[in-house]
Amino acid sequence: MKFFSLIRIVVFLVGTGLFGALHAQNSPASLQARRDSLLNPSLMKQAERVLRFEKSVQNIGTLTEDDVPVTYRFVCTNVSNRPLLIKRATPTCSCVTVGFDSKELLPGKQQVVNLTFHPKNHPGTIDTHVFVYLSSSDKTPVARLTLTGDVLPGKDEWARFPYSMGKLRLKQNTMTFGEVRTGHRSTERIFCGNSSSKPMQLTAPILPAYVTFHTEPAVIPPGGEGDIVVTVDASLIPVGAKAEFTFPIIIEGVSARPLDRTLNIKVKRIN
């Protein structure tokens, strides 16, 4: 597009007000509003005249990460004059699973929505929601159920890192590059922690030419956390390599057998 043609289009948009409208749609305030509408959608109008819960907020008190999952009952009544069907109940946190009867709820009858809270790996203040949708209101929730409370750290402060390489604790022991585009660089991370009493500096001296490795920070202090960062440069992958392939990275700087300090890297290339 020629420069002067672009200028004429911008002038036209400004004159008609479309330029400002387009800018407003992508402004930080607009994007935040759209994000909030997804994470905390408005309830159906007059929802209390359709499906009424005895209470919509329950305080779980104080738990620890070592406690077993606990289930909380939310009882609702169909206060409308027509049968209702709960289609789905969407939690805002992976710490909650939901259970409910999928049968039709007749007028005047009650039903229970069970929220099971899983404290493991979820320390801190709890304020999580579940949005309940009817088959007749798939886009607008009829209720918002809330669990509040606190979860204290468990006895094993490293329990949230399920994998270990000696004293190095990791969130995962595999890394997947799902969309490495030809000619581009892609980076993935693994969250890790140093459970030892000494600083930890990790290296990977044996790498394919198309891979780089480092940690952030470069030296992980005792009791500290960081990221293992791996970058794949697709422009350096040898011609003839498969579209999907796997290779290992052996990490130095931890005391363990080579097999026990190996990351498996999976790469899938797309054009």
Side-chain angles (χ1 to χ4, degrees):
M1 182 180 292
K2 293 183 178 179
F3 177 75
F4 290 107
S5 297
L6 180 61
I7 291 294
R8 285 198 293 268
I9 291 174
V10 172
V11 171
F12 171 77
L13 291 173
V14 171
T16 58
L18 291 177
F19 185 82
L22 291 173
H23 177 73
Q25 289 178 1
N26 293 294
S27 67
S30 175
L31 293 175
Q32 180 65 37
R34 286 156 58 187
R35 176 180 177 275
D36 291 343
S37 68
L38 293 174
L39 297 179
N40 192 22
S42 300
L43 300 183
M44 174 198 303
K45 292 182 179 179
Q46 298 182 334
E48 281 288 316
R49 297 185 181 182
V50 179
L51 188 68
R52 183 175 300 159
F53 281 84
E54 293 181 355
K55 54 184 176 181
S56 60
V57 179
Q58 290 197 47
N59 187 286
I60 68 174
T62 300
L63 303 175
T64 73
E65 289 184 276
D66 299 327
D67 289 332
V68 298
V70 184
T71 298
Y72 303 88
R73 290 163 45 93
F74 288 80
V75 181
C76 61
T77 303
N78 180 354
V79 294
S80 72
N81 57 5
R82 65 182 187 278
L84 301 175
L85 180 65
I86 295 180
K87 183 175 182 179
R88 59 190 172 95
T90 305
T92 58
C93 174
S94 60
C95 57
V96 174
T97 55
V98 186
F100 57 88
D101 195 334
S102 59
K103 294 181 180 179
E104 196 172 60
L105 182 62
L106 298 176
K109 297 298 182 178
Q110 291 186 329
Q111 186 170 338
V112 176
V113 176
N114 291 310
L115 306 189
T116 301
F117 182 79
H118 302 259
K120 187 175 180 62
N121 297 332
H122 293 96
T125 300
I126 301 303
D127 185 13
T128 187
H129 311 291
V130 171
F131 292 93
V132 180
Y133 294 82
L134 300 176
S135 59
S136 58
S137 63
D138 184 47
K139 295 183 179 180
T140 307
V142 70
R144 177 176 54 245
L145 309 179
T146 302
L147 294 177
T148 63
D150 294 283
V151 176
L152 302 177
K155 292 181 180 179
D156 181 4
E157 62 176 311
W158 300 104
R160 63 188 186 281
F161 295 93
Y163 301 97
S164 62
M165 294 182 177
K167 293 294 185 178
L168 176 67
R169 304 295 294 264
L170 302 97
K171 274 288 190 181
Q172 60 198 65
N173 62 356
T174 61
M175 181 179 286
T176 301
F177 290 80
E179 294 185 355
V180 176
R181 296 184 177 274
T182 302
H184 291 74
R185 293 163 58 90
S186 297
T187 298
E188 295 290 341
R189 296 169 177 264
I190 293 179
F191 190 41
C192 62
N194 178 2
S195 66
S196 75
S197 59
K198 298 179 180 180
M200 190 174 285
Q201 186 170 12
L202 306 179
T203 61
I206 304 175
L207 291 173
Y210 51 87
V211 176
T212 59
F213 173 100
H214 71 278
T215 64
E216 295 178 0
V219 178
I220 305 173
E225 299 172 350
D227 285 305
I228 291 174
V229 185
V230 176
T231 299
V232 171
D233 188 341
S235 65
L236 299 178
I237 295 177
V239 176
K242 295 181 179 180
E244 297 185 33
F245 59 92
T246 302
F247 64 90
I249 290 180
I250 300 176
I251 296 177
E252 301 289 348
V254 292
S255 298
R257 298 180 304 166
L259 182 63
D260 295 332
R261 48 186 170 89
T262 298
L263 282 180
N264 292 309
I265 313 298
K266 299 178 181 179
V267 177
K268 179 179 180 181
R269 292 189 295 160
I270 60 176
N271 294 323

